[in-house]
Amino acid sequence: MQMNDSQRIPAPKEKVWAALNDPEILKQCIPGCQSLEMSSPTEMTATVVFKVGPVKATFGGKVMLSDLDPPNSYRISGEGSGGVAGFAKGGALVHLESDGPEITVLHYDVDAQIGGKLAQLGARLIDSTARKLAAEFFKSFGEVVGKRVAAGV
Amino acid sequence: MNDMTPTREQREAKLEGMGCKRKRVEDIRFTQGKGNYVDDLKLPGMLHGDFVRSPHSHARVKKIDDTEALKVPGVLAVITAETLKTVNLAWMPTLAGDVQMVLADGKVLFQNQEVAFVVATDRYAADDGINKVVVEYEPLPVVIDPFKAMDKDAPVLREDLAGKTTGAHGPRKHHNHIFEWTVGDKDLTDAAFRKAEVTIKEMISYHRTHPSPLETCQCVCSFDKIKGELSIWGTFQAPHVIRTVVALIAKIPEHKIHVISPDIGGGFGNKVGAYPGYICVAVASIVTGKPVKWVEDRIENLTATSFARDYHMTTEIASTKEGKVTGLRVHVLADHGAFDACADPSKWPAGFFNIVTGSYDFPTAHLSVDGIYTNKAPGGVAYRCSFRVTEAAYCIERAMDILAQKLGMDPAELRLKNFIKAEQFPYHSALGWEYDSGDYHTAMRKMMETVDYAGLRKEQAALRAAFKRGETREIMGLGVSFFTEIVGAGPSKNCDILGIAMFDSCEIRLHPTGAGIARVGSKSQGQGHETTWAQIIATEIGIPADDIMVEEGNTDTAPYGLGTYGSRSTPVAGAAIAMAARKIKAKAQMIAAYKLEVHEDDLEWDIDGFRVKGLPEKTMSMKDICWAAYNSVPPGMEPGLEAVSYYDPPNMTYPFGAYICVMNIDVDTGVYKVRRFYALDDCGTRINPMIIEGQVHGGLTEAFAIAMGQEIRYDADGNVVTGSFMDFFMPTAVETPHWETDFTVTPSPHHPIGAKGVGESPNVGGVPAFSNAVNDAFSFLGSTHIQMPHDYWRNWKAAKDLGVFA
């Protein structure tokens, strides 16, 4: 499954980049995220509650950052297992573009793969759910970063 | 004779014998919720088991950690392949001569494969336990597309077969190859194609689907350690075979195994084979010393127990310009999934697919089938059909339509031109069968007259013209299907399961008061055997059907039988019933002769007893003979009145039928409307016309489902994406069209009562009728073949691909 979209964020590019590398902010913005811990500058472990249609499961897995080009782009990828609910893996290419000094446009290009019960039961729901989750993440990410900038953090 | 003496008609009516629309006796309990199914069984101290299943379709199993699962309150054990290895049961034999993992041994080969079995005090605890078993997988590349399974660099699926160049059915050509099966004269067929004036070639796929009985597969095992006896209650279509298989693989003496199939809520082939669940509950019961129950859920049933079809049939017909067929050549790529667990008679790796010449007089034909492994669930069972006969009927019926289109001939006319003629029976087909009887022209013409075939074609021509003028967006299709089935497996000369000949059996015991019990080796899953078996006996020996109790499914009491599937019950068990009844009748005649003081030969049968020839008032009813059998038999004769028959059929039976589907399709939405569906069946002698009608309705509804949407579909990664009734099309009364049924009667010449079997015919003939209707509708727009299933989206897509939106 693949999708791409963009999000306008009222913050300068460097601030957005910093936030993209801040586990606290990521944790706040990833829908259903229970925990997110840095194990190295480019590796994190995460626990996320994921729900597709009738299946709800807690996924445990790794998140990795690669192809870092500060403050312009990176690739965030991960894979996790939800036990009987199945597994998920995928990644997003995130690319930042300045639209003036105070506005950054965040482009994302996601590909994801889902298996197990999630894929079986939720086949017809996965695309829409994934789109919704991605949109939710980048929307709240934009809001959180925008607020922090407005508050002068 | 006074007025109280019943007339002949009244006496006959009282029997409710063959030909009577007797109401189904089993429905009294079914309609009141009093059926007794496996899941109704509750034994004291019974435990529950459930599976940890693989989310991957191909992966190495690196580690199974049950530490946390065993801490869940109520969880008693987690069984894995390692546990099963201690009793040599990690793998089990399949009916097709392959072996299958009971629990994942080192790797998994299809999604939802059984990995571990959690045993707990209740089902909820078992489920909680499953959630706590941690399995570490290493995903491997998958083989989903059957056409890529034999690529040179295709991943190796069955590492256990490494180095084995010969399988159960001969040489293996590739590491993912199971068998090659060829029938017919290749040289003669190739020559026919070289000389042919007209040929067609098409790859016709019959997609993977699933029998999906509403009651899923389930089993309860109880091992008595003191007696060393194992009792098994299960949803088994063939309980005796299960007993023998358990004896062979679990090394328990066969007399200490009690297999009971209680009421079964539909089987359709899904409940023929042996599943890991059965082995796991048996082992769990032996280990814990307690009864253990396993009940599949819907997803498990659809994704892990036996699927059906998945045949990809490259089909060629050679013909003259006038439309006389001269040769048939078919190659099948048969996708069997991860293990070859087809439930065919042992010598038939592709079932009876060589019935693919259908109802037509092909002078020569050649067939080859390649069975292959993929990362899909195992199976390949006969879903409401005799072994691979639905695939064969679909293949030839679609191909005949394609040929008609190429010749510019009407498909019905092409069929009439090529039918085997009534006087050619018994007919020897080019692929080796001896068709016992048939009258195809009569059946076809009756269908065409009843529906006004010529009138429908005129209407279609007018609608097509209107479509081309842009006045309508509806197209109309006529789906003609004329099928010949081959059922009643089967004669011991060519049919066995694991070496056991495919006979069937009946034991009848009449009691002193003129009532009795019949125990039969078949096993009803809804077919109505309790009703129809008694009707055969009623007609044969003159005891009212209401006075005969029919019992099936208990291996301790029923004589050994091979069970119910492949429309074999009436052709084989039905014959055994008639033959057992005739043994009783012969003894009854001796008793009557003795009591009436005449020679046996001076007696003649009269509805419900014997009468002396020429002296119609001198009679003895069967009821009175029963009494006499227990107190005044002729000197030297043993008392009692019972008989057993084991019937080995001399040949299969060949039911046939003429079906037509009239359908309109809206090209802008793909939405179809079945305007009319007419099904004429010839199943030989008709035992209960009402039950036949019910069977035809059920079979047509399943055919409708399969042709118009039902499928087991995998995505490229091997996920089953139709694993619940949300996505797997299960028609309800809302979607199901109205069915019109009709019949002709051509009795089987070798069957004791001339019956041929009918339960599966409508599925065999129905699918091509629907698919031909869709294809016929689109044909004038330039298409030759559109693959099933024909759901709205695919119809819309077909219209789009044909350029109707341009």
Side-chain angles (χ1 to χ4, degrees):
Chain A
M1 176 200 9
Q2 284 165 327
M3 60 195 143
N4 53 67
D5 207 342
S6 59
Q7 180 76 35
R8 286 177 73 81
I9 301 169
K13 201 168 167 183
E14 284 70 21
K15 295 269 181 191
V16 177
W17 176 257
L20 276 175
N21 287 277
D22 181 342
E24 264 316 303
I25 294 181
L26 292 175
K27 184 184 163 186
Q28 271 182 61
C29 304
I30 295 173
C33 188
Q34 310 283 300
S35 73
L36 187 78
E37 277 154 31
M38 216 78 176
S39 49
S40 85
T42 56
E43 282 182 340
M44 291 165 265
T45 52
T47 313
V48 180
V49 177
F50 192 47
K51 188 171 183 302
V52 176
V55 186
K56 186 179 174 186
T58 305
F59 277 71
K62 276 186 250 164
V63 178
M64 280 153 295
L65 303 178
S66 57
D67 302 339
L68 285 97
D69 175 17
N72 302 312
S73 67
Y74 73 19
R75 187 177 161 74
I76 180 166
S77 52
E79 56 180 276
S81 166
V84 289
F87 60 90
K89 58 183 173 187
L93 190 64
V94 180
H95 169 69
L96 303 180
E97 188 187 16
S98 294
D99 185 10
E102 295 307 316
I103 300 286
T104 305
V105 182
L106 182 157
H107 299 277
Y108 59 92
D109 207 329
V110 178
D111 69 283
Q113 208 189 333
I114 290 168
K117 202 169 263 186
L118 274 172
Q120 287 159 23
L121 273 182
R124 63 171 77 188
L125 305 170
I126 279 179
D127 263 36
S128 56
T129 307
R131 261 171 234 290
K132 198 183 103 211
L133 291 176
E136 235 172 75
F137 168 76
F138 288 110
K139 186 165 173 273
S140 58
F141 180 80
E143 283 169 12
V144 169
V145 177
K147 272 183 204 158
R148 284 164 67 104
V149 169
V153 181
Chain B
M1 230 184 260
N2 64 35
D3 290 346
M4 297 301 284
T5 309
T7 63
R8 288 179 59 82
E9 287 73 24
Q10 284 169 330
R11 281 161 62 206
E12 205 155 312
K14 194 179 170 221
L15 293 181
E16 295 196 285
M18 287 195 279
C20 171
K21 291 184 182 175
R22 184 178 185 226
K23 285 196 176 164
R24 287 166 40 113
V25 294
E26 45 273 84
D27 286 356
I28 296 166
R29 65 176 189 277
F30 292 156
T31 53
Q32 295 182 41
K34 299 291 183 193
N36 177 35
Y37 299 91
V38 174
D39 202 23
D40 291 322
L41 190 68
K42 290 176 180 68
L43 299 174
M46 188 169 72
L47 307 176
H48 297 258
D50 204 351
F51 283 107
V52 174
R53 292 177 182 273
S54 168
H56 298 273
S57 56
H58 194 198
R60 250 175 243 300
V61 178
K62 307 289 278 185
K63 194 177 161 200
I64 302 173
D65 183 355
D66 61 8
T67 322
E68 291 304 311
L70 289 168
K71 290 181 189 161
V72 173
V75 171
L76 303 175
V78 177
I79 296 172
T80 63
E82 296 310 313
T83 327
L84 294 178
K85 277 179 186 171
T86 62
V87 283
N88 204 20
L89 283 174
W91 292 69
M92 62 178 183
T94 71
L95 291 176
D98 196 1
V99 288
Q100 176 178 354
M101 288 179 206
V102 174
L103 291 171
D105 183 13
K107 71 192 267 192
V108 286
L109 287 159
F110 64 94
Q111 189 177 59
N112 278 3
Q113 186 179 333
E114 299 81 358
V115 174
F117 191 67
V118 176
V119 185
T121 48
D122 63 70
R123 182 74 191 258
Y124 300 99
D127 237 45
D128 290 346
I130 285 168
N131 281 301
K132 295 287 182 189
V133 176
V134 181
V135 186
E136 200 183 307
Y137 297 98
E138 176 196 327
L140 297 168
V142 299
V143 177
I144 297 302
D145 181 349
F147 290 94
K148 292 184 178 152
M150 289 209 284
D151 283 357
K152 216 171 154 193
D153 55 352
V156 177
L157 304 189
R158 293 288 300 276
E159 286 160 3
D160 60 300
L161 299 178
K164 286 193 182 162
T165 52
T166 305
H169 306 283
R172 297 172 65 223
K173 296 187 278 199
H174 180 274
H175 53 259
N176 293 331
H177 186 242
I178 309 171
F179 65 85
E180 182 183 16
W181 188 59
T182 58
V183 198
D185 190 326
K186 187 171 187 309
D187 295 341
L188 206 60
T189 307
D190 289 347
F193 275 87
R194 279 195 301 274
K195 281 184 281 183
E197 294 169 346
V198 180
T199 59
I200 59 127
K201 182 174 183 177
E202 190 67 54
M203 207 291 287
I204 299 167
S205 275
Y206 198 140
H207 58 285
R208 179 175 278 235
T209 182
H210 195 280
S212 54
L214 285 188
E215 178 203 33
T216 58
C217 296
Q218 28 203 274
C219 185
V220 175
C221 278
S222 179
F223 186 69
D224 183 327
K225 280 189 174 169
I226 309 296
K227 293 182 184 166
E229 292 180 15
L230 180 65
S231 298
I232 308 171
W233 293 261
T235 48
F236 309 131
Q237 291 182 232
H240 282 98
V241 177
I242 293 286
R243 188 184 70 190
T244 302
V245 170
V246 172
L248 290 173
I249 66 177
K251 310 280 187 238
I252 298 171
E254 197 165 354
H255 67 292
K256 294 199 170 185
I257 303 167
H258 314 288
V259 178
I260 297 155
S261 291
D263 286 329
I264 296 183
F268 314 115
N270 185 234
K271 294 168 178 170
V272 173
Y275 293 121
Y278 305 165
I279 307 280
C280 289
V281 278
V283 170
S285 179
I286 291 168
V287 169
T288 60
K290 293 192 170 166
V292 183
K293 180 187 271 188
W294 167 68
V295 174
E296 265 184 338
D297 69 19
R298 180 60 52 197
I299 297 174
E300 293 177 301
N301 181 255
L302 284 172
T303 59
T305 44
S306 293
F307 74 94
R309 324 295 192 236
D310 219 344
Y311 259 34
H312 307 280
M313 309 171 287
T314 303
T315 312
E316 297 169 85
I317 297 180
S319 147
T320 66
K321 281 185 302 215
E322 292 73 35
K324 188 85 186 109
V325 295
T326 54
L328 175 69
R329 195 157 55 192
V330 182
H331 175 264
V332 180
L333 188 66
D335 186 343
H336 285 221
F339 306 97
D340 186 9
C342 283
D344 295 316
S346 298
K347 291 190 197 80
W348 300 88
F352 305 151
F353 188 83
N354 54 330
I355 191 76
V356 70
T357 52
S359 315
Y360 313 105
D361 190 9
F362 278 96
T364 181
H366 186 254
L367 161 69
S368 58
V369 182
D370 279 305
I372 50 143
Y373 293 121
T374 59
N375 289 118
K376 300 177 194 170
V381 294
Y383 168 8
R384 203 172 186 141
C385 70
S386 194
F387 315 99
R388 301 295 188 184
V389 175
T390 38
E391 290 90 329
Y394 181 65
C395 176
I396 188 64
E397 286 308 290
R398 199 67 272 293
M400 287 301 272
D401 262 31
I402 294 167
L403 176 63
Q405 190 182 350
K406 180 143 188 188
L407 291 165
M409 255 177 103
D410 181 88
E413 190 194 328
L414 179 70
R415 284 172 171 80
L416 284 165
K417 189 164 200 152
N418 288 291
F419 278 151
I420 300 159
K421 296 181 184 71
E423 60 270 22
Q424 285 176 277
F425 291 94
Y427 171 81
H428 291 267
S429 77
L431 292 178
W433 294 114
E434 185 192 306
Y435 292 30
D436 66 345
S437 59
D439 183 355
Y440 299 163
H441 288 90
T442 303
M444 186 74 165
R445 290 199 176 106
K446 187 172 182 185
M447 177 276 274
M448 291 170 76
E449 278 160 32
T450 310
V451 302
D452 183 20
Y453 183 77
L456 287 168
R457 283 292 178 201
K458 272 186 205 146
E459 186 191 335
Q460 183 188 41
L463 193 67
R464 284 176 172 181
F467 183 90
K468 287 193 165 165
R469 290 194 301 270
E471 293 164 14
T472 178
R473 295 296 279 170
E474 281 213 349
I475 54 176
M476 171 183 174
L478 299 186
V480 176
S481 160
F482 195 100
F483 65 93
T484 294
E485 251 219 295
I486 172 170
V487 306
S492 57
K493 64 187 176 211
N494 53 20
C495 290
D496 70 273
I497 287 186
L498 302 173
I500 302 163
M502 293 181 73
F503 57 81
D504 225 292
S505 60
C506 172
E507 176 200 282
I508 303 173
R509 189 177 299 171
L510 295 182
H511 308 320
T513 55
I517 181 167
R519 291 183 166 121
V520 189
S522 51
K523 175 60 203 165
S524 181
Q525 306 121 40
Q527 291 90 341
H529 291 174
E530 286 168 51
T531 308
T532 47
W533 292 167
Q535 289 183 259
I536 296 176
I537 295 169
T539 295
E540 289 287 338
I541 59 174
I543 298 283
D546 276 347
D547 294 339
I548 302 289
M549 183 166 90
V550 173
E551 198 182 273
E552 296 178 318
N554 184 335
T555 55
D556 283 344
T557 54
Y560 203 108
L562 276 282
T564 292
Y565 42 85
S567 283
R568 63 185 302 280
S569 297
T570 296
V572 192
I577 293 162
M579 298 311 274
R582 286 172 195 183
K583 286 183 186 177
I584 285 186
K585 197 171 167 183
K587 184 173 180 180
Q589 188 164 358
M590 288 191 263
I591 296 170
Y594 173 68
K595 297 294 283 184
L596 293 168
E597 298 177 328
V598 294
H599 190 274
E600 280 172 50
D601 295 343
D602 294 330
L603 292 178
E604 61 185 1
W605 180 252
D606 181 40
I607 300 170
D608 53 7
F610 289 96
R611 70 179 174 203
V612 179
K613 288 175 189 165
L615 291 170
E617 70 286 357
K618 213 173 170 193
T619 63
M620 187 165 187
S621 72
M622 199 64 196
K623 194 173 159 77
D624 293 337
I625 296 171
C626 286
W627 185 257
Y630 287 87
N631 60 36
S632 51
V633 293
M637 182 186 271
E638 289 178 14
L641 201 50
E642 61 179 79
V644 184
S645 170
Y646 280 75
Y647 187 81
D648 179 6
N651 191 4
M652 312 274 186
T653 62
Y654 296 77
F656 58 92
Y659 290 5
I660 188 165
C661 172
V662 184
M663 186 188 288
N664 278 25
I665 301 170
D666 179 328
V667 292
D668 291 320
T669 59
V671 174
Y672 56 81
K673 182 167 183 276
V674 177
R675 291 168 45 190
R676 189 168 186 186
F677 198 104
Y678 168 91
L680 179 148
D681 274 285
D682 192 320
C683 60
T685 304
R686 293 157 60 82
I687 300 167
N688 183 328
M690 186 193 70
I691 284 191
I692 291 173
E693 199 182 357
Q695 289 274 301
V696 173
H697 283 194
L700 288 176
T701 305
E702 283 180 323
F704 167 67
I706 295 166
M708 305 313 286
Q710 186 176 86
E711 72 176 315
I712 295 293
R713 194 168 72 247
Y714 287 80
D715 67 14
D717 302 315
N719 292 304
V720 184
V721 294
T722 53
S724 77
F725 283 165
M726 199 161 66
D727 300 296
F728 182 87
F729 178 37
M730 179 60 77
T732 65
V734 176
E735 296 90 3
T736 305
H738 174 73
W739 310 119
E740 286 173 64
T741 61
D742 203 347
F743 63 96
T744 54
V745 177
T746 312
S748 167
H750 61 78
H751 188 274
I753 59 171
K756 294 182 174 179
V758 74
E760 306 177 324
S761 298
N763 199 338
V764 173
V767 171
F770 285 108
S771 185
N772 279 347
V774 173
N775 276 287
D776 185 61
F778 281 108
S779 63
F780 80 113
L781 297 169
S783 76
T784 48
H785 178 68
I786 300 163
Q787 304 286 13
M788 287 194 289
H790 306 292
D791 54 22
Y792 296 159
W793 180 78
R794 286 186 178 89
N795 288 341
W796 172 85
K797 179 91 171 27
K800 182 171 176 282
D801 293 347
L802 289 166
V804 305
F805 305 137

